Amino acid sequence: MIQVNELPYQRDQLYGRDRRSVPAARRFAAWSLHYWGLGAWRRAYDVSLCVSELATNALVHGVPPGRGFLLRIRYDGETVRVEVHDSGGGVPRIPDEPDEGGRGLLLVSALSDKWGVGERTPGKVVWAEFTR
């Protein structure tokens, strides 16, 4: 029997509270895009960069000691959606006057078509979408 993969595609990966998780998450995103035939897509780098920013924000602000974060990447044939789930409190926002470390969400906002924050129990999910 031939098995056919149907859209949407989704890949999930858990990461620990470790600085090495950020480059690992970025590689995972790049690999997922390549696997789905989007490796040469002009926005593939933007997706990977936003994964880095969201993963960094989760580690710095949203992942309590002893916990980790979930990276979910979903592709429905038209839109790539990146989600970073963490169990920390607070609501991410773009600061009025970003300092040296406050430009991550500003970058996500500039590179993605849409981004936002959703509720989770416990914690939150920060997401970004990129339309083909």
Side-chain angles (χ1 to χ4, degrees):
M1 170 190 266
I2 297 176
Q3 185 176 4
V4 177
N5 289 329
E6 295 184 20
L7 294 174
Y9 302 133
Q10 180 175 305
R11 300 196 40 86
D12 294 351
Q13 183 67 45
L14 292 170
Y15 294 94
R17 188 172 187 241
D18 185 307
R19 64 183 175 84
R20 293 174 293 190
S21 294
V22 173
R26 188 175 177 141
R27 285 190 303 271
F28 176 77
W31 182 90
S32 297
L33 293 175
H34 178 77
Y35 184 80
W36 296 330
L38 300 173
W41 179 36
R42 66 177 179 80
R43 299 190 73 192
Y45 180 78
D46 295 346
V47 172
S48 294
L49 184 56
C50 286
V51 165
S52 290
E53 294 300 331
L54 295 178
T56 298
N57 282 352
L59 287 176
V60 172
H61 304 290
V63 179
R67 299 274 177 102
F69 68 92
L70 169 75
L71 171 60
R72 172 171 290 151
I73 303 174
R74 184 176 172 96
Y75 173 55
D76 66 6
E78 183 177 315
T79 302
V80 173
R81 181 180 173 105
V82 172
E83 299 177 358
V84 174
H85 300 242
D86 68 54
S87 57
V91 178
R93 64 176 179 76
I94 298 174
D96 295 331
E97 293 185 28
D99 59 14
E100 273 187 37
R103 295 188 181 98
L105 286 179
L106 189 62
L107 190 58
V108 171
S109 175
L111 294 176
S112 66
D113 294 308
K114 290 191 270 187
W115 77 278
V117 181
E119 292 183 20
R120 242 187 69 138
T121 303
K124 65 193 160 300
V125 55
V126 184
W127 56 269
E129 291 183 347
F130 305 82
T131 304
R132 288 193 71 205

